[in-house]
């Protein structure tokens, strides 16, 4: 009897082994989110469909085998599936023509783009391919409502819907994150030109006040997402590029993906002599990111980035030099050989854990540092900055009043220490040697911290109608310690802003299959920097208030002609009060005042179409743009009334038209025509730039040298029409000592580039 029972157990065990179930999980390559409803089939037909967690099962008797996996909005994947001891991951790549189906990650509750009741633009891998890859900010100019002033590779300023246009040399009023790690300083300053597009999967731009999600972001928010290796494989890559002005770029990449982990590393070195005098540029950067599945319900992601920069500064020109000698640098900057240099790094990690089936948590910790040295004609600046913080977010799937809902609640805390000192620049005493460090002029230490408490709920009333509501409560405080005792001014003091409550509500309704309309109202704010709060006597201006605004918006997002044609249009009105104005009282001294109100009214549009020329060639024309009606509502500054004038620093319109051609054979061609309207240069509207038009081309060809080695060869032309234009402007420039005001940064003339990229998969 014992032998019979033992034999029966052996048969049952063998049968269990034979029919062992293997589980696979399908993930979105861009977002790492599960793909629900994907079809898995083989030669015999449909095998299964992935569940809400992206998981499907296949018995061992059907493995190994060749399978086809397809899902709406994704590229179809042909893959050989093998037996696996654990939960094997499979990645699907979103289709470009399925843009509306891409799940947006920037909102607290991820949702397909077409259903989000907000103006969100995506910068994808195709957008990166259209440019020469020397400055990632070039891709932002293809986003309706966004305008980038590009004075040089290291002198850039982003405006969203005209907000931030009054900043003199840098980007502010915009929040930015890299894989959830804050990039904007506690004072609101932002630098994005450190990052290479080779390290990015995509970028999401939320336009208009986003304070209900990210705190002090009156202009909007920019979220950068690092490259995810995707398929289970190892890869090495090498890229080299050469261009006009002795511009050179080298990129080295490596990645490895297994069932439970992924790792991606990239190193870039970009150098250029620049078009203008005193324009040399040298940047080295390294990035490492990865994921690790720690348990069935938990995963860890990590990110490290380091940048070393030395970039000389030609600065802005007056009108005569701009028209007749655009290659020259500003005289004092050329004589002092002014430049900026810094080491900058960030390190962060996030842990996501499913607490129960309906509740999950993601917690991130991060630290940033920057050590900078910048010789300018008027002084030499030394800066040190260290910041750290934590952000946690809970996501709950529930039913509210029997309505399917998603709820997100969380908090963020950010602390920053900043030390700044200025010194005499003795370059005039040592002709021909450039900047020379002199005696100390100032030494200040600043500490700023803020806390955000946020929440959002998404209600799905039915398949067509959803509603979102959210809020953010912000507290901001800072202290200033004057460490320089030799002058008669003591700037030491503490200051805090009253808590700011920022609500948002929006709703989207499907009026037809693949066609949604939306409306939203959102509140936003931006706090003054420490420099703006100082009076000319060096005291803290405790009467200065945050800049606040309300955004009213309505829009349409829709697919047509079997999803081959996609369109967006949005109409918005942003009313800003307590406008922060930086009044210039010296070559490098500004004071802030609350000077009035502005109206930011505009229309943004986007459309793209996909032609199929046979089965192997796609032609994709697109057009997008913005019409801007940005004016001072009430603005009196220094007893002069500018009410009704146009807001300086923003073009009246921007339009992009382009055609992308891509084939299965590996051939690619990209063309882009950009038209930019006139830009007011000052509050008086007494000076304007001329409008300009740029035409860019790029072509490339990819082919396999052998089975595992892929080579891409490419070349391009920027500004093919050789247009003379102002690529950036300084608003309200002032000429000191009888000199003409220097408003203009000339753009590069016609220039060329080319390169090759080698990838080895093993």
């Amino acid at each position: 009897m014992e032998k019979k029972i033992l034999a029966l157990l052996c048969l049952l065990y063998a049968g269990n082994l034979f029919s062992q179930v293997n589980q696979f999980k399908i993930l979105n390559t861009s977002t790492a989110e599960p793909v629900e409803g994907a079809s898995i089939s083989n030669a015999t037909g449909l095998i299964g469909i992935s569940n809400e967690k992206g998981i499907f099962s296949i018995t061992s008797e059907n493995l190994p085998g060749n399978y086809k996996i397809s899902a709406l909005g994704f590229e179809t994947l042909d893959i050989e599936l093998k037996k696996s001891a654990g939960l094997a991951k499979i990645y699907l790549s979103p289709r470009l023509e399925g843009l509306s189906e891409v799940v947006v990650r920037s909102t607290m509750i991820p949702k397909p783009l077409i259903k989000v009741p907000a103006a969100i633009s995506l910068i994808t891998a195709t957008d990166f391919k259209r440019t020469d890859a020397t400055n990632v900010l070039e891709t932002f100019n293809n986003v309706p409502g966004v305008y980038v002033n590009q004075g040089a590779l290291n002198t850039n300023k982003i405006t969203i819907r005209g907000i931030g246009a009054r900043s003199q040399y840098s980007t502010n009023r915009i929040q930015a994150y890299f894989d959830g790690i804050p990039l904007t300083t506690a004072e609101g300053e932002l630098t994005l030109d450190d990052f290479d597009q080779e390290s990015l999967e995509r970028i999401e731009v939320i336009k208009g006040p986003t304070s209900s999600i990210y705190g002090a972001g009156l202009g909007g928010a920019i979220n950068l997402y690092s490259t995810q290796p995707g398929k289970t494989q190892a890869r090495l890559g090498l890229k080299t590029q050469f261009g006009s002005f002795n511009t050179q770029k080298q990129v080295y990449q490596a990645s490895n993906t297994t069932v439970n982990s992924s790792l991606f590393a990239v190193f870039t070195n970009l150098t250029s002599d620049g078009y203008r005098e005193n324009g040399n540029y040298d940047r080295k950067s390294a990035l490492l990111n990865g994921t690790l599945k720690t348990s069935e319900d938990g995963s860890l992601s990590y990110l490290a980035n380091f940048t070393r920069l030395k970039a000389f500064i030609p600065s802005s020109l007056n009108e005569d030099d701009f028209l007749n000698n655009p290659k020259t640098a500003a005289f004092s900057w050329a004589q002092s050989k002014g430049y900026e240099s810094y080491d900058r790094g960030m390190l962060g990690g996030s842990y996501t854990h499913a607490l129960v089936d309906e509740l999950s948590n993601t917690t991130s910790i991060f630290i940033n540092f920057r050590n900078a040295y910048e010789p300018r004609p008027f002084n030499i600046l030394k800066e040190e900055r260290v910041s750290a913080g934590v952000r946690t977010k809970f996501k709950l799937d529930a039913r509210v009043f029997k309505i399917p809902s998603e709820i997100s609640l969380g908090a963020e805390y950010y602390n920053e220490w900043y030390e700044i000192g200025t010194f005499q620049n003795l370059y005039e005493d040592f002709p021909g040697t450039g900047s020379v460090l002199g005696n100390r002029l100032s030494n200040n230490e600043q500490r700023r911290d803020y806390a955000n408490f946020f929440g959002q709920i998404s209600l799905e009333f039915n398949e067509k109608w959803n509603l979102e509501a959210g809020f953010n409560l912000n507290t901001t405080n800072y202290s200033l310690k004057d460490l320089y005792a030799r002058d008669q001014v003591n700037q030491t003091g503490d200051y805090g802003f009253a808590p700011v409550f920022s609500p948002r509500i929006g709703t989207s309704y499907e009026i037809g299959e693949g066609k949604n309309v939306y409306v939203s109202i959102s509140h936003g704010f931006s706090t003054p920097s420490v420099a703006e709060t100082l009076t000319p006597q060096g005291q803290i201006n405790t009467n200065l208030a945050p800049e606040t605004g309300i955004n009213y918006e309505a829009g349409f997002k829709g697919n047509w002609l079997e999803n081959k044609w996609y369109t967006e249009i949005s109409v918005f009105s942003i009313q800003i009060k307590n406008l922060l104005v930086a009044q210039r009282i010296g070559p490098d001294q500004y004071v802030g005042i609350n000077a009035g109100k502005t109206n930011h009214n505009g229309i943004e549009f986007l459309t793209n179409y996909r032609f199929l020329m046979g089965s192997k060639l796609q032609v994709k024309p697109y057009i997008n743009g913005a019409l801007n009606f940005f004016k001072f509502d009430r603005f009196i500054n220094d007893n002069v009334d500018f009410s009704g004038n146009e807001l300086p620093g923003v073009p009246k319109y921007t339009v992009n038209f382009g055609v992308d051609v891509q084939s299965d054979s590996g051939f690619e061609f990209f063309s882009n025509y950009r038209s930019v309207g006139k830009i007011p240069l000052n509050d008086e509207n007494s000076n304007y730039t001329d409008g300009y038009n740029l035409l860019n081309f790029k072509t490339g060809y990819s082919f396999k040298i052998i089975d595992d080695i892929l080579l891409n060869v490419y070349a391009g032309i920027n500004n093919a029409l050789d247009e003379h234009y102002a690529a950036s402007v300084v608003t309200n420039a002032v000429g000191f000592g009888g000199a003409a005001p220097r408003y203009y940064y000339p753009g590069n003339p016609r220039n060329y580039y080319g390169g090759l990229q080698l990838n080895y998969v093993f």
Side-chain angles (χ1 to χ4, degrees), residues 315-334:
S315 197
S316 54
L317 297 176
N318 60 40
E319 185 174 14
D320 182 65
D321 286 333
F322 168 69
L323 294 174
N324 301 303
N325 300 291
K327 291 185 64 175
T328 60
F331 178 78
S332 59
W333 285 87

Side-chain angles (χ1 to χ4, degrees), residues 503-683:
R504 176 185 179 274
I505 188 169
T507 185
S508 175
Y509 186 79
E510 185 179 27
I511 59 175
E513 185 176 357
K515 300 172 182 63
N516 288 54
V517 295
Y518 73 90
V519 293
S520 68
I521 302 174
S522 58
H523 177 272
F525 73 97
S526 289
T527 56
S529 67
V530 172
E532 288 174 323
T533 61
L534 296 179
T535 67
Q537 293 74 36
Q539 304 302 311
I540 293 178
N541 178 8
T542 58
N543 295 319
L544 206 58
E547 201 172 78
T548 60
I550 299 179
N551 179 55
Y552 304 91
E553 184 166 341
F556 169 82
K557 304 174 185 179
N559 288 308
W560 312 80
L561 304 177
E562 299 179 340
N563 292 343
K564 293 181 181 179
W565 181 22
Y566 177 69
T567 59
E568 286 184 7
I569 187 168
S570 60
V571 180
F572 64 89
S573 178
I574 307 175
Q575 278 84 50
I576 296 176
K577 65 178 182 178
N578 291 325
L579 178 69
L580 285 168
V581 176
Q583 288 186 316
R584 190 168 188 169
I585 58 176
D588 187 42
Q589 189 177 8
Y590 300 85
V591 295
I593 61 170
N594 292 121
K597 300 179 180 179
T598 56
N599 286 335
H600 298 244
N601 303 320
I603 302 171
E604 297 164 0
F605 59 91
L606 174 153
T607 184
N608 56 59
Y609 191 82
R610 177 172 58 96
F611 290 99
L612 295 177
M613 311 292 287
S615 60
K616 296 184 178 181
L617 182 67
Q618 296 187 49
V619 179
K620 304 172 186 176
Y622 64 89
I623 185 171
N624 64 62
L627 305 177
N628 303 321
F629 309 97
F630 305 154
K631 292 187 176 183
F632 294 113
D633 179 16
R634 180 180 58 81
F635 181 30
I636 300 174
N637 188 15
D638 200 21
N639 296 321
V640 180
D641 190 350
F642 302 109
S643 302
N645 287 2
E646 294 179 304
L647 189 70
V650 187
K652 292 186 175 182
Y653 68 86
T654 58
V655 177
N656 283 283
F657 172 76
V659 178
D660 301 334
V661 180
Q662 296 175 300
S663 74
D664 291 348
S665 67
F667 172 76
E668 294 180 315
F669 176 78
F670 305 97
S671 61
N672 174 264
Y673 179 82
R674 180 182 306 148
S675 181
V676 178
K678 294 182 177 181
I679 301 175
L681 292 174
N682 50 32
D683 296 336

Side-chain angles (χ1 to χ4, degrees), residues 444-463:
N444 293 318
E445 182 180 293
Q446 303 173 13
R447 291 185 183 272
R448 176 176 286 218
D449 63 81
Y450 67 75
N452 291 317
F453 304 92
F454 51 83
Q456 183 170 307
I457 184 170
S458 177
L459 302 172
E460 298 287 339
F461 293 106
N462 52 50
E463 292 183 356

